[in-house]
Amino acid sequence: MPLQQSVSTGEQSRALGLSTFAFTVCFAVWTIFAIIGIEIKAELGLNDTEFGLLVGTPILTGSLVRLFLGVWTDQYGGRIVFPLTMLASAASTLLLSHADTYSLMLLAALGLGLAGGGFAVGVAYVSKWYPQEKQGSALGFFGMGNVGAAVTKFVAPWIMVALGWQAVAQIWAVVLAITAVLFFLLAKDDPELAARKLSGEPPKGLKEQLEPLRNEQVWRFSLYYFFVFGAFVALALWLPRYLIGVYGVDVKVAGMLAATFSLSASVFRAYGGVLSDRYGARRIMYATFGVSMVLLFMLSYPATDYVVHGVRGDIHFSTSMSLVPFVIAIFVLGFFMSLGKAAVFKHIPVYYPDHVGSVGGLVGLVGGLGGFVLPIVFGLVSDLTGIWTSCFAVLFALVAVALGWMHLAIRQMEQKASGIDARSLPQFPEMVGLHDAQRHAPAADGKVLADWRPEDPQFWEETGQRIANRNLLISIPALLLAFAVWMVWSVVVAKLPLIGFDYTTDQLFWLAALPGLSGATLRIFYSFMVPIFGGRLWTTLSTASLLIPAFGIGYAVQNPDTPYFIFLVLALLCGLGGGNFASSMANIGFFFPKARKGNALALNGGLGNLGVSVMQFAVPMVITGSVFGLLGGEPQLTKTGTQLWLQNAGFIWVPFIIASSLLAWFGMNDIASAKASFAEQAVIFQRKHNWLMCWLYTGTFGSFIGFSASLPLLAKKEFPEVEVLKYVWIAPLVGAISRASTGWLADRWGGARVTLWVFVAMIAGTVGVAHFLEAGNFDGFLAMFVFMFFVTGVGNASTFQMIPNIMRQEVPRLEPGLTPAEAGRQAEKESAAIVGFTSAIAAYGAFYIPKAFGSSITLTGSAQPALFGFLLFYVTCAALTWWAYTRKGGLLHDVERGRTPPSAPVSQGAPA
């Protein structure tokens, strides 16, 4: 705004300083019931619902008046509206000190709540003193006035204990009245109002001021603020009572501990404004909602004692959060809430510069209503459930809804804007269409690629290749960690009997098999997540989700009394790592042109598979020492008297998962046009070759992942005198390397011919394993498995090389009405869908193979029957490959011999 250019820095600082101080005092008064309400509750004998209503009444008033106070500030100026608001609130606060009935207290609380409306006045007043590029920081600093809640919690308890709660109300009323007078004397009219007075221009009418409120985005911002501000106010009021009830501290300690939350949720608001100016408000909102969901999930779990009626008697264990971790958790929660509050209000003056009062007032109104409604809900839920942590469960559900709505709305708008030139996208892509994009500078470091043309050679060389390679380099370690967590049970279960877990062989193989079952199932759903959530967000979330089984394993293995069903649940949760593959491959596939897609996906999948061998190599080492010191817990004594830190099998991945999640969030990109319809891809379920390739790929990748899951336990069972964990990691390492380096064989000789010889080799390898197992020769046993893993890697590449060739032949035959170009596009679409579906089905090998070994040993005392079953399966795979594809007259016989060129150029698939 031109007027702001003539405003001096001193005038800006004066307006900001006075407004922040006034808002701090207002907020201290507004939250006064957080302390004096405890004494009033005891004095009047109120129940939780009545207490919640009393505490929330000032919040109701302060919320409802915000819209009109914001409009009046735009019309008449903050220098007039702010002092009048404070004086009215001071009078009601003084009246409160003389109230002696519940009804009169509610009446006084209504007037006291006007202090909360000062926020809308300050936002409208302060924003007019600063240019757009500094408004985030200025409003963030102003928002630090929330620290008034901490002032009340620190000071009011001492005054209340010494002089009574009435003295607190009287002192707060006097301070607020003095502040109102000082603000009127020292503040000046904002530049816009001063200019309007000089020109004689009348203020905008109420109808014009409220016009932007018809936009859906305004109400979405209001929901965000309902959480980041409303939940902050609600917790600021509720925490003292919570701390007294749960941890038994007195009112002074409760006030001081609750103040840590209010402080972190207030003083860092200025930092949130700086970050919003620098990195964009949307990015800060994602961080706020994501971290809040994790913390609220932890906080909402009640202290619980478990009694499991076991075979040898009851098994007791409990879960609870002690006082120190609780205070740390709410401090971190408050920190991210403070960032979110600043981020929400960064949007408003940027997109509604002429309606800051009305829009900011509405957003503040809805947010403030959260501070009124939520304490009542907390009380009701507490009365109904009798569970203290139910308040955090309510907030968890709220932030989940806010995050889901925000992201889905943003993705929808970004996809609609995908045809716009990237340089014209506004700073907040979710607002496309609401304003002229030329009015707002684009985000210099935006993560959404609105213009993505990898098939354009010039675009690829100048821009695309660098971005695609960066996303690939970040994706590979994330996928490697996913495979490591997915298969970690294969090592953990081999060690459980050594530290006192008395499980049968079949129970151990069940634990080794369940991650494969859940991982394969999740792959089906994960295949569709990238177009819905975006590759960047989904990679971040799916990688961060690995923290759940990593922490869970670390805690569960430290207590031999941990029930078996807890291990079953953790085994299923390890499947989160298995599901990651489908979304990772789908995401990376969007970044590369057809000519480079196969190699990129081979690197992503092949090097990601290294996670299995990395895990089987690293875990046996880290569990022999106290890697994390006191933080890692005490060692377990084995049956031989040695020490083992088996918890490190889970904990060792935690720092890497956190680092990889952060890398994904800050380093990866979303492609706005990356979308896929399930209905369009569902046609593959009518293609017989989809099902035939599922059978064949289960024989290759299913064998790789199934043998990876079962080999450590099988080797430990059959060769107990050998330190098998020192050697078994070699086999999956060879398999991972071979899949990434032998794709040229299928390109040179044809995927079907190579696949046929792969299954012939696997038949021979199975016979070799059975022979050396019978002979009790570990060296021969391991050598045969290394050979088997090598040929599965070759087969992973060759089977997927077959899929595009198959569909290039089938689509023109099945849909003769398509033009050659249309047939090519349809073949590519179906090939991609078949790649994803077959990878999901084949992943069930991680369940069936360990379960087959376990059942075989339980029923017969030997693994030989399972090996015989695998042998028959490989015979069927070889026969199917020959009959359907490689024999003379088979679908690929002539194609692979260069006699019939493919019908349409389709990108080559990549091994999963």
Side-chain angles (χ1 to χ4, degrees), residues 2 23 33 381 551 571 706 753 774 803 819 836 841:
F23 181 47
F33 277 107
V381 174
F551 274 118
R753 284 194 285 179
E774 184 69 24
I803 293 174
T819 66
I841 298 301

Side-chain angles (χ1 to χ4, degrees), residues 111-147:
L112 181 152
L114 290 171
F119 175 75
V121 181
V123 167
Y125 180 68
V126 170
S127 64
K128 291 178 171 59
W129 288 92
Y130 287 86
Q132 184 185 111
E133 63 273 13
K134 294 184 178 180
Q135 286 172 340
S137 301
L139 292 178
F141 187 89
F142 168 74
M144 286 175 59
N146 289 161
V147 79

Side-chain angles (χ1 to χ4, degrees), residues 45 69 95 104 121 169 183 354 402 421 438 481 523 562 603 613 683 727 754 772 798 891 896 907 910:
L69 288 176
L95 173 64
L104 188 57
V121 181
F183 189 92
D354 300 326
D421 184 88
Q438 298 302 320
L481 289 168
R523 280 191 175 195
T562 301
L603 288 173
S613 54
V683 68
Y727 308 105
V754 171
F772 288 109
S798 62
L891 186 64
E896 293 187 347
S907 61

Side-chain angles (χ1 to χ4, degrees), residues 48-49 238 241-242 246 299-304 376-394:
D48 280 342
T49 302
W238 191 258
R241 169 160 167 70
Y242 183 93
V246 175
L299 290 166
S300 64
Y301 200 87
T304 309
I376 299 175
V377 173
F378 291 169
L380 288 172
V381 174
S382 177
D383 286 340
L384 290 173
T385 66
I387 299 174
W388 279 107
T389 58
S390 58
C391 59
F392 296 110
V394 171

Side-chain angles (χ1 to χ4, degrees), residues 21 45 71 74 220 261 290 430 494 522 592 621 837 854 879 891 911:
F21 176 75
V71 172
D74 278 346
R220 185 149 46 84
F261 169 75
E430 68 268 28
L522 287 173
F592 287 85
M621 292 193 299
F837 185 72
L891 186 64

